[in-house]
């Protein structure tokens, strides 16, 4: 009789767990969609590419959400790790010069309102693209450390997890990268104040 009541009155335990995980992912999505979109807006001037890469990131995130462990790192760090992989694959694909029609065949074209919004975000990230150009001369780990901590706002600990290095290593690389970047861009406040 209790089995019959459970079948009729309340959802099975697995459905409750599923709806809880769905709500968790929706909350994660809503909280960090702007962060992920900005990540791609700093890397492209094409709103369609930024939208597609953002969508690809969340598709990958939702399919691997079962493996996400909040005790190992934050949701934004986890999402930016996925976004880095998505962008790396995108760059590899572009480098190999795959057939453009095959790549675009399954993508939804964005409408004028979405394009306008994405163009505004891309314009807002223009200074970020300038910084990305200066960062290009840095070693990959240094570049990613600067971007994750100084641009995306992750803590050094979160960035260390996302990059797969220790917190101490990340802090040293971050310090060195900031120093090199100041020298590269000519914005070294320490030298200008102490030179007289």
């Amino acid at each position: 009789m209790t089995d019959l009541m459970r079948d009729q009155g309340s959802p099975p335990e697995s459905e409750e767990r599923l709806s809880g995980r769905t709500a968790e992912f929706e909350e994660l999505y809503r909280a960090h969609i702007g962060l992920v979109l900005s990540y791609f807006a700093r890397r492209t001037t094409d709103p369609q590419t930024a939208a597609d890469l953002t969508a690809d990131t969340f598709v990958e995130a939702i399919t691997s959400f079962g493996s996400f462990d909040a005790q190992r790192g934050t949701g934004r760090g986890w999402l930016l790790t996925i976004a880095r992989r998505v962008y790396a694959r995108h760059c590899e694909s572009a480098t190999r010069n795959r057939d453009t029609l095959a790549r675009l065949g399954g993508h939804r074209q964005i409408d004028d309102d979405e394009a306008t919004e994405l163009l505004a975000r891309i314009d807002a990230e223009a200074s970020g693209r300038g910084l990305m150009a200066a960062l290009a001369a840095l070693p990959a780990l240094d570049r990613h450390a600067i971007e994750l901590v100084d641009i995306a706002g992750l803590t050094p600990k979160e960035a260390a997890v996302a990059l797969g290095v220790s917190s101490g290593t990340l802090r040293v690389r971050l310090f060195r990268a900031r120093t090199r970047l100041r020298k590269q861009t000519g914005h070294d406040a320490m030298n200008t104040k102490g030179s007289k």
Side-chain angles (χ1 to χ4, degrees), residues 72-87:
R72 292 185 60 215
T74 63
R76 66 186 182 154
W78 179 70
L79 285 170
L80 285 175
T81 301
I82 293 171
R84 286 181 55 233
R85 285 193 307 259
V86 166
Y87 188 68

Side-chain angles (χ1 to χ4, degrees), residues 21 30 48 51 69 72 90 101 118 122 131 161 175 195:
R21 290 297 280 176
R30 290 180 188 276
Q48 185 70 49
D69 181 5
R72 292 185 60 215
H90 169 75
L101 292 176
L118 287 171
I122 287 169
L131 176 60
V161 171
F175 174 78
S195 61

Side-chain angles (χ1 to χ4, degrees), residues 35-109:
L35 173 73
V36 174
L37 188 54
S38 291
Y39 178 85
F40 293 119
R42 285 190 294 275
R43 287 163 173 72
T44 183
T45 57
D46 178 36
Q48 185 70 49
T49 301
D52 289 344
L53 293 172
T54 300
D56 291 348
T57 298
F58 281 100
V59 167
E60 187 172 323
I62 200 165
T63 58
S64 63
F65 190 62
S67 66
F68 172 65
D69 181 5
Q71 294 179 355
R72 292 185 60 215
T74 63
R76 66 186 182 154
W78 179 70
L79 285 170
L80 285 175
T81 301
I82 293 171
R84 286 181 55 233
R85 285 193 307 259
V86 166
Y87 188 68
R89 283 194 305 266
H90 169 75
C91 290
E92 287 173 15
S93 174
T95 300
R96 289 185 196 137
N97 203 12
R98 291 185 180 176
D99 182 15
T100 303
L101 292 176
R103 280 189 293 121
L104 296 177
H107 293 247
R108 171 183 76 84
Q109 291 296 316

